[in-house]
Amino acid sequence: MNFKNISILTKKDLSLFFKNRFFSIITILGLVAYIIIFFAMPRIQEDKIKIGIYSDVPLTKIYYFLESHDAEVYKGVSIEDLREKVSKKLISFGIYFPSDVKEKKALKLIINIETEDEMKEAYEYIAKELYHTEFGFDLNIESESEIIGVDLAGKQIPVRKRLIPVLAFFLIITETLGLSNLISEELENKTIYALLSTPVNIQDIFFSKGITGLITTLIPSILFIIITTQFKNFFSILLLLFLGSLFAISVGFLIGSIAKDMMSIIGYGFVIFILILTPSFNVLAPGTLSSWVKIIPAYFLVDGLNKIINFNTSFLNLLPNILILIITSGILLFFGAFILRRRLI
């Protein structure tokens, strides 16, 4: 491995990368557009409380009362339905009116176990008022709590803050096509064979492509994070961005090694991007996807960024995410380099 050769090759690759108008525009405009989107989003999350109601007895006054106060109401079809809606964060809490609600003067609340005490008290107060409105007297409340994951009641994360890890993730992943194109073009134009006829070896080419990928993925994402988070938890975020860049480089190597031209890069890239970008929906809308999404390695990147940026999660608690990203990147890089080496030999 010759560091002088690697330096020369890296300069060449960066020049070729930014000579391609498509990828240079995507890189620059992507960064600018994401920053604009971030600052255009509202600073404060203004969530309405959406109440889920299921009753074994007819209710009339409650619905009229809630509609007159412009409240969001979900009429459940069963108590299990209320539990499911609470677990998916589709309603804030649920109220179940059993058939003996008048005699026992008791109903059941479905509340997330991690909901803050202040919000639980607020939900109970709302339930008491609704009971009083319908039946004309007070009641005793039987509350039921269920473990359904992280609840954001009382500490809602504004959309713009949820966008930060997702957009940083997008900046990293979209650059994989640029790296793939560099590899594919050199294979298609046979320039890589000309390079190998010089003192340059395969290891030098691999390292130069990796450094080029690291520069084009890491720098835009770092700039975006600095502008949007203002150095909060910066070093933990930087480590995850670095690992995310390695993951993107490994994906780029794999696509570039199997693609024959630009069209095949777009074809392979489109399919892979659908898989890679899927986990980001769980950050934008918690509970949208079930636990199966964890089989996609990109989940541990966007999830780690989200936990650090929005929940101040400690570095030690992110070790599983870090280890999975390292192992996955290593495996993908190995296969990409192996296929590329076979094509060159």
Side-chain angles (χ1 to χ4, degrees):
M1 187 171 62
N2 189 305
F3 291 104
K4 183 178 180 180
N5 290 342
I6 292 173
S7 175
I8 295 171
L9 289 173
T10 302
K11 290 178 182 178
K12 174 189 69 69
D13 289 337
L14 287 172
S15 176
L16 290 174
F17 181 91
F18 286 104
K19 276 184 180 179
N20 187 312
R21 291 186 179 181
F22 175 77
F23 293 114
S24 58
I25 289 174
I26 286 294
T27 300
I28 297 170
L29 286 187
L31 176 60
V32 174
Y34 293 160
I35 292 172
I36 292 173
I37 290 171
F38 170 77
F39 286 105
M41 299 299 292
R43 291 175 177 269
I44 301 173
Q45 180 75 7
E46 297 180 356
D47 287 338
K48 287 184 178 180
I49 293 177
K50 187 171 183 179
I51 304 170
I53 296 176
Y54 172 68
S55 177
D56 290 332
V57 298
L59 300 175
T60 55
K61 297 179 182 178
I62 284 179
Y63 294 125
Y64 176 79
F65 175 80
L66 291 172
E67 288 173 5
S68 65
H69 285 78
D70 195 29
E72 292 189 56
V73 182
Y74 170 75
K75 296 180 181 180
V77 296
S78 66
I79 189 170
E80 289 76 20
D81 181 43
L82 291 185
R83 290 191 179 106
E84 182 182 357
K85 293 298 184 292
V86 171
S87 69
K88 292 182 177 180
K89 311 289 173 57
L90 298 177
I91 58 177
S92 303
F93 72 105
I95 306 176
Y96 168 56
F97 293 85
S99 57
D100 58 356
V101 65
K102 290 184 181 180
E103 292 75 20
K104 290 188 176 181
K105 297 183 180 180
L107 52 76
K108 185 172 291 187
L109 297 184
I110 309 298
I111 303 176
N112 189 306
I113 197 170
E114 295 183 357
T115 301
E116 291 185 341
D117 292 338
E118 293 81 0
M119 293 305 298
K120 286 182 181 179
E121 292 176 5
Y123 295 160
E124 290 179 0
Y125 175 79
I126 292 172
K128 287 180 180 179
E129 286 298 311
L130 293 179
Y131 187 92
H132 180 79
T133 299
E134 182 69 35
F135 302 110
F137 43 81
D138 295 331
L139 79 160
N140 298 315
I141 293 180
E142 176 190 346
S143 297
E144 179 179 289
S145 298
E146 300 181 18
I147 301 174
I148 55 174
V150 179
D151 180 66
L152 301 179
K155 51 179 180 180
Q156 292 88 346
I157 305 297
V159 175
R160 68 185 247 159
K161 290 199 71 178
R162 291 204 298 268
L163 275 174
I164 295 175
V166 174
L167 296 181
F169 174 64
F170 282 7
L171 278 171
I172 290 173
I173 295 302
T174 50
E175 297 301 322
T176 57
L177 290 181
L179 179 60
S180 302
N181 185 61
L182 278 178
I183 297 171
S184 180
E185 274 191 349
E186 291 206 345
L187 288 169
E188 186 180 4
N189 298 329
K190 311 296 183 182
T191 54
I192 197 166
Y193 298 102
L195 287 173
L196 290 174
S197 65
T198 68
V200 172
N201 56 36
I202 293 178
Q203 287 75 21
D204 294 339
I205 294 173
F206 284 172
F207 269 93
S208 67
K209 294 290 187 293
I211 293 171
T212 301
L214 196 62
I215 292 172
T216 56
T217 56
L218 193 57
I219 291 179
S221 59
I222 288 176
L223 289 174
F224 177 75
I225 288 296
I226 290 173
I227 293 170
T228 54
T229 66
Q230 298 174 348
F231 292 98
K232 186 179 179 181
N233 297 323
F234 181 71
F235 292 105
S236 296
I237 296 174
L238 181 61
L239 175 60
L240 269 181
L241 292 179
F242 176 76
L243 294 176
S245 296
L246 291 182
F247 176 73
I249 291 168
S250 65
V251 173
F253 260 96
L254 185 61
I255 296 174
S257 63
I258 61 178
K260 295 181 179 180
D261 51 32
M262 184 62 181
M263 291 306 297
S264 59
I265 286 175
I266 294 174
Y268 290 127
F270 180 74
V271 174
I272 293 174
F273 272 27
I274 291 176
L275 291 173
I276 289 176
L277 298 179
T278 299
S280 61
F281 290 102
N282 252 11
V283 173
L284 291 175
T288 303
L289 303 173
S290 57
S291 58
W292 67 263
V293 78
K294 293 183 181 180
I295 66 175
I296 303 174
Y299 167 85
F300 297 95
L301 172 57
V302 69
D303 176 68
L305 287 172
N306 182 47
K307 286 179 177 177
I308 291 178
I309 293 170
N310 292 322
F311 297 97
N312 295 317
T313 301
S314 67
F315 176 81
L316 290 177
N317 288 333
L318 291 174
L319 284 179
N321 296 54
I322 292 170
L323 290 175
I324 290 173
L325 283 173
I326 292 173
I327 293 170
T328 305
S329 299
I331 293 172
L332 292 176
L333 197 59
F334 171 79
F335 279 108
F338 176 78
I339 295 170
L340 184 57
R341 182 186 287 270
R342 290 294 298 270
R343 290 185 66 179
L344 293 176
I345 296 174

